[in-house]
Amino acid sequence: PGVTVDVAAGPATTADGDEETFAAVVAELVVNAVAAVAGRGRVTVTVGAADADGPWDAAAGDPVTGPAVAVDVRDTGPGI
């Protein structure tokens, strides 16, 4: 029993943004994922470069283009 946390990172990248906010958001995602597995499971964090050209940007009403960072946090918890 226990929680296994796997971290995978792609090539280094940079993007404009607030470092403290980014770190806080990633930390909260990982904390929530660890809580979701209730002491027994796996959390996988993947970080890599992305392009901010997708529909998710336009939908926000403030389209952004250029380099971005993609963060994917998954867990083996039961879900909602």
Side-chain angles (χ1 to χ4, degrees):
V3 178
T4 301
V5 178
D6 298 316
V7 178
T13 189
T14 60
D16 291 333
D18 184 284
E19 227 176 287
E20 288 181 27
T21 300
F22 178 76
V25 167
V26 173
E28 187 65 25
L29 289 170
V30 172
V31 166
N32 289 346
V34 168
V37 298
R40 177 179 237 164
R42 180 175 300 275
V43 174
T44 304
V45 182
T46 307
V47 181
D51 249 341
D53 294 337
W56 57 87
D57 299 311
D62 188 15
V64 178
T65 59
V69 177
V71 179
D72 182 56
V73 179
R74 297 174 187 242
D75 64 68
T76 58
I80 296 176

